[in-house]
Amino acid sequence: MSTKRELTVELGERSYPIYIGEGLIDEAGELFAKHGISKKSPLLIITDDEVAPRHLAHLNDVLSGAGFKVSTAIVPAGESSKSLAKLEELVTQALQAGLDRKSAIVALGGGVVGDLAGFVAASYMRGVKFVQVPTTILAHDSSVGGKVAVNHPLAKNIIGAFHQPELVLYDLLTLQTLPQRQISAGLSEVVKHGLIWDAEFVAWCDDHAEQLCALDHEALSYALYKGCSVKAAVVSEDERENGLRAILNLGHTIGHALEAVAGYNELLHGEAISIGMIGSARLAVALGAPEEIYNVTKRVLTKVGLPIRLPAHLDTDAIMEAMQHDKKFQEGTMVFIVPAAIGKVEINTQVSASLVREIVEQLKQEA
Ligand code: NAD
Ligand code: ZN
């Protein structure tokens, strides 16, 4: 049995705990009760159709056994479920299940289910309690910060809210069923949290990449703990995204553009961000930072199984165009999160678009 870890996301009266450990779903009854989830009002577990056959019965049994009134709703797996249409369907299900103001919505799944269920919780009866039971590595990122949203056909995550959970329950056993590609994609944001904040943690990832890819519980538990801790530290200082929180976007300016141009099927988010972080490292070096930034970034991302080369068939003009839609773009220059050292980034508001174009071209040659 690996160590059970716990951290608190410090947000004043909205503070909440994240529990990380092996077999934690077995303790869901006690933990839910401890954090004020009602046994009198019905709760709704929202999950997707890939997670449901693997983990829903377990959570349902534990909570029902502990005396909670449980209903469940299953949405199709994938980003397309983050829609207003799904939100409406889920509200229908919540009403039919008799959820009231004291009820809770439980997200069992990855970031898609977390964002969708979180937005249901934020909007149902003007807001009910929310619990996250993340089942992907990537969801360590979405479990901190309280951003919940659905997509609009014209823009991702554009209809949403800030809604903090009551608790997050990360059971490492659920991660054992993740496909390898999803494991690596999730580790991308783990490494990102190191790169923006904690050089020692980057070195640790470098040394433990193999264990992480093999889902070794001790390694995974530490990595999720560190990833959540860094995000929590950033978010605690800037809950509503006024400043510091921008550093979480390392690799995302290029990454989002790649996702948009490639279509959301070719590259997973974590894969696009990996390529984006290589781009940021190249940018840093081009602006005079030590070569080591690029070397270490590339080594660690490669070791955890992530792509570093930008697929050559993606059109550079289209990528540049997509970045200019990015809210971080300003006339002729771009705002970029640029590493200053491993574990430290700066917000550079003066990066020339022509340099970015060069970097994009270089990323197609990456080997
Ligand atoms: P996801 O939820 O789509 O999960 C990826 C795939 O893995 C899905 O097909 C899912 O069904 C499957 N899956 C999930 N858990 C599994 C398990 N234990 N075993 C087997 N299969 C499993 O994607 P994700 O990568 O977790 O999250 C991406 C989403 O998160 C995006 O919509 C993104 O916008 C959002 N996000 C939000 C925040 C935030 O702060 N709110 C931060 C980062 C990402
Ligand atoms: Zn991201």
Side-chain angles (χ1 to χ4, degrees), residues 47-58 72-75 108-109:
T47 190
D48 73 32
D49 60 11
E50 285 184 30
V51 177
R54 297 172 167 99
H55 306 294
L56 178 59
H58 186 194
T72 60
I74 301 172
V75 300
L108 172 69

Side-chain angles (χ1 to χ4, degrees), residues 187-196 202 205 277 300-301 304:
L187 290 172
S188 186
E189 302 274 12
V190 171
V191 172
K192 179 199 79 180
H193 286 128
L195 289 172
I196 64 172
V202 175
C205 290
M277 288 190 285
V300 179
L301 292 173
V304 297

Side-chain angles (χ1 to χ4, degrees), residues 301-313:
L301 292 173
T302 307
K303 274 192 187 176
V304 297
L306 284 161
I308 53 167
R309 187 189 311 130
L310 197 156
H313 70 91

Side-chain angles (χ1 to χ4, degrees), residues 320 323 328-330 333-336 348-351 356:
M320 294 303 294
M323 272 191 263
K328 293 172 273 311
F329 178 79
Q330 289 157 5
T333 60
M334 293 171 147
V335 182
F336 255 86
N348 187 325
T349 56
Q350 294 294 321
V351 178
V356 176

Side-chain angles (χ1 to χ4, degrees), residues 58 99 127 164 180 246 262 279 319:
H58 186 194
L99 269 73
Q164 307 294 346
Q180 198 62 49
I319 295 168

Side-chain angles (χ1 to χ4, degrees), residues 87 113 135 153 162 213 234 265 274:
L87 172 80
V113 165
T135 65
F162 284 97
C213 290
V234 174
N265 299 322
S274 172

